[in-house]
Amino acid sequence: MSLDLLRVIDEMRPPRVLVVGDVILDRYVIGDVSRISPEAPIQVLRQNHAYNNPGGMASVACNLVRLGAEVVLAGVVGDDGAGKELTALLRDRGLDAAGLVVEKSRPTTLKTRYVAASQHARQQILRVDQETDAALGTQTRARLTDHVREALQDIDVCVFSDYDKGVIEDEFAREMIKAARDAGVPVLIDPKGSDFMKYAGATALTPNRAEASTAGGRRIVSFEDADAVAETLLDSLDLECIYITLDRDGIYVKERGGPGAAIKTDPREVYDVTGAGDNVISVLSFALGAGTSSLSAAALANIAGGIAVEHFGVVTVGWDEIAARIALGTGGESKLLSTTMLEQLLESARAGGRSIVFTNGCFDILHPGHVDLLRRARAEGDLLVVGLNSDESVRRLKGAGRPVHDLTARASVLGGLASVDYIASFEEDTPEQIIERIRPDVLVKGSDWTDKGVVGREFVEARGGKVVLLELVPGHSTTNIVNKVRDV
């Protein structure tokens, strides 16, 4: 399945996607908490910085742009500061905001999250919402409807992102679903609430466990429950397919008249579920708009959602990250990534608060000393990247007859160690260039480098990182092993 998914990604053509729904401005106020207020028994947050992100339907649109889709927007903002900020953010991300209708009497939905941050974690302590769920004005609704109808003539797939803020109301939903069907355009809907009848006739829905349980009249505990609920909703809503997101259990996908399938997720540390659903429906709509099967689309979306929850706040997930996660599941040697892909993965890891450890070597014949060093290096941070000398580099450093094993074989053995997260090869005699590209927080070498001068020390320390020299396990050396074999 893994290799098939990589082929699917490689063969997909970018679709043209219409995204309809509630736009939200997500504001994050980050600070630290060190005391309780003398005025009331509440924490005092000392603000350090703040930033804004597109949320709701706008988050879905940004995700799709990151994936490479051509996106058309259809939503509503107020004539206020939040609306102007949101419009500017979308334009900065390459989106045409012409499809956002301005309603002067309506506030732009603004969610402000107050976050206490420490060195190792971030914790939301309060969220303040400024919003209305009132119905749109008659003229606003008419302009939005006309825009959607026009856009439906030249798109591959339509996404409804419903956050129950007044845009996807019952009559509008039914009218636009029918218009899409008449135009031969599939409609995917991320639903809200417990009554899904307004979504009847859509191509597919992506409810979460709680939403599907309520709408389907049965609590979902097992995959058998998910199948029963999926069957009920497929029939009652005249859907072609349903994707039930089951948090830690993955996604359950079922097409009308066919068997269901559970796409399980790998265990992972969850930092924040905010925006995970937006990533799921973004990947689903891209894949289905490109003609991918429901099962493959669900598998790709499941991976994207899993990546999203590893980071704090709303993040966009690209095909490069998804492909890398797929590759890591195909065998130890697949931990060997291009430096460009590794840079992108590590950037996402840093955004999630993770620290990067780097060490390097030839690792020609892996021995207990190597295993111990790598295990202790991994304990210095959250992710361990191993720089691996290329075959030509080893030959220049070690002489004729080396390496004993080629790069692929060495990467395969290293990749089998739980302590090693990623591997990157380098052609130079030293890892200086790759260190500067990876930008590790911790640089680890063996204690035998104490008097040799650690390559990359100045760069790492100048960025606030540290260099750690670990004592070696005595009596183990690749060169000694090679010499012993030659003497036999």
Side-chain angles (χ1 to χ4, degrees):
M1 183 67 169
S2 295
L3 293 177
D4 290 340
L5 289 178
L6 290 173
R7 191 175 302 112
V8 166
I9 292 174
D10 187 56
E11 294 176 354
M12 279 192 295
R13 63 169 183 80
R16 183 172 167 83
V17 186
L18 170 63
V19 184
V20 186
D22 301 294
V23 292
I24 298 171
L25 181 64
D26 287 327
R27 179 166 294 162
Y28 292 86
V29 178
I30 313 296
D32 55 75
V33 172
S34 59
R35 63 192 179 96
I36 300 297
S37 171
E39 303 167 356
I42 56 173
Q43 300 175 89
V44 176
L45 180 74
R46 183 175 62 183
Q47 179 176 332
N48 293 326
H49 67 283
Y51 63 91
N52 298 323
N53 271 335
M57 174 269 268
S59 171
V60 175
C62 290
N63 293 339
L64 282 161
V65 168
R66 169 75 189 278
L67 293 168
E70 184 178 353
V71 178
V72 180
L73 297 173
V76 179
V77 294
D79 186 17
D80 51 20
K84 292 179 175 63
E85 173 67 19
L86 183 54
T87 301
L89 286 172
L90 291 173
R91 286 173 175 155
D92 287 346
R93 286 159 173 76
L95 284 152
D96 184 354
L100 297 182
V101 179
V102 177
E103 185 170 82
K104 292 186 177 181
S105 62
R106 187 182 196 85
T108 303
T109 301
L110 171 63
K111 296 182 179 180
T112 304
R113 296 170 174 88
Y114 294 87
V115 180
S118 67
Q119 184 177 359
H120 303 291
R122 292 184 175 188
Q123 177 65 51
Q124 285 191 42
I125 59 175
L126 178 67
R127 193 181 91 183
V128 177
D129 292 355
Q130 297 167 258
E131 62 183 21
T132 179
D133 58 1
L136 298 179
T138 303
Q139 290 185 345
T140 302
R141 174 66 70 203
R143 290 176 60 193
L144 187 66
T145 299
D146 290 345
H147 176 60
V148 172
R149 286 186 179 279
E150 182 180 353
L152 284 171
Q153 305 310 308
D154 187 30
I155 60 166
D156 299 299
V157 63
C158 177
V159 178
F160 282 13
S161 182
D162 190 357
Y163 277 78
D164 199 23
K165 307 302 180 190
V167 173
I168 312 293
E169 52 83 28
D170 294 14
E171 184 179 350
F172 175 79
R174 287 190 286 267
E175 186 179 344
M176 292 302 96
I177 289 171
K178 183 180 183 303
R181 279 205 161 185
D182 291 345
V185 175
V187 179
L188 276 73
I189 300 178
D190 187 1
K192 185 66 68 175
S194 58
D195 184 2
F196 288 177
M197 286 310 299
K198 68 178 179 179
Y199 307 125
T203 306
L205 260 60
T206 64
N208 61 31
R209 186 194 298 266
E211 292 164 341
S213 296
T214 303
R218 175 170 174 168
R219 182 169 175 243
I220 299 176
V221 177
S222 64
F223 289 128
E224 289 75 16
D225 297 327
D227 188 80
V229 168
E231 189 69 33
T232 296
L233 294 177
L234 285 168
D235 289 342
S236 63
L237 301 176
D238 189 27
L239 306 173
E240 294 180 19
C241 185
I242 190 165
Y243 303 87
I244 303 176
T245 57
L246 300 171
D247 41 80
R248 64 184 180 278
D249 294 321
I251 295 177
Y252 194 83
V253 54
K254 187 177 179 70
E255 293 182 327
R256 176 185 287 277
I263 309 295
K264 298 181 180 179
T265 191
D266 295 327
R268 53 177 35 89
E269 187 171 2
V270 176
Y271 283 78
D272 190 355
V273 298
T274 307
D278 294 339
N279 276 284
V280 167
I281 198 167
S282 300
V283 172
L284 282 175
S285 58
F286 186 106
L288 295 174
T292 303
S293 71
S294 297
L295 190 61
S296 293
L300 293 169
N302 189 50
I303 295 168
I307 295 171
V309 301
E310 296 175 355
H311 307 289
F312 180 82
V314 177
V315 297
T316 58
V317 178
W319 290 122
D320 49 357
E321 295 173 272
I322 295 171
R325 293 303 175 92
I326 295 169
L328 291 174
T330 63
E333 73 279 359
S334 63
K335 290 184 180 180
L336 177 61
L337 305 177
S338 70
T339 307
T340 298
M341 181 175 289
L342 185 56
E343 285 179 295
Q344 294 166 339
L345 284 172
L346 296 182
E347 193 62 35
S348 295
R350 288 189 186 91
R354 294 181 166 189
S355 59
I356 313 302
V357 183
F358 178 87
T359 191
N360 67 280
C362 299
F363 298 102
D364 198 1
I365 299 177
L366 204 66
H367 55 67
H370 290 144
V371 175
D372 179 75
L373 176 73
L374 294 170
R375 177 184 58 79
R376 288 187 289 149
R378 178 63 172 76
E380 293 290 332
D382 299 311
L383 292 171
L384 174 61
V385 179
V386 176
L388 191 60
N389 293 72
S390 69
D391 293 343
E392 286 299 321
S393 177
V394 175
R395 196 167 293 117
R396 290 194 301 270
L397 294 172
K398 303 294 184 180
R402 301 285 297 276
V404 175
H405 299 295
D406 64 19
L407 178 68
T408 301
R410 289 182 284 130
S412 178
V413 175
L414 276 174
L417 298 178
S419 57
V420 176
D421 293 291
Y422 302 119
I423 303 167
S425 68
F426 59 95
E427 297 289 340
E428 301 77 23
D429 291 345
T430 76
E432 183 174 10
Q433 291 185 28
I434 198 167
I435 288 172
E436 292 181 359
R437 291 186 65 178
I438 289 173
R439 296 178 287 124
D441 303 291
V442 184
L443 176 60
V444 173
K445 292 294 289 183
S447 57
D448 56 331
W449 282 85
T450 301
D451 299 324
K452 301 177 185 178
V454 177
V455 173
R457 174 189 286 273
E458 293 80 5
F459 176 80
V460 171
E461 291 181 340
R463 298 184 65 255
K466 66 177 180 177
V467 176
V468 177
L469 299 178
L470 298 177
E471 291 296 327
L472 300 176
V473 177
H476 295 285
S477 162
T478 300
T479 300
N480 290 341
I481 293 172
V482 170
N483 290 337
K484 285 181 181 179
V485 171
R486 287 173 175 169
D487 291 340
V488 171

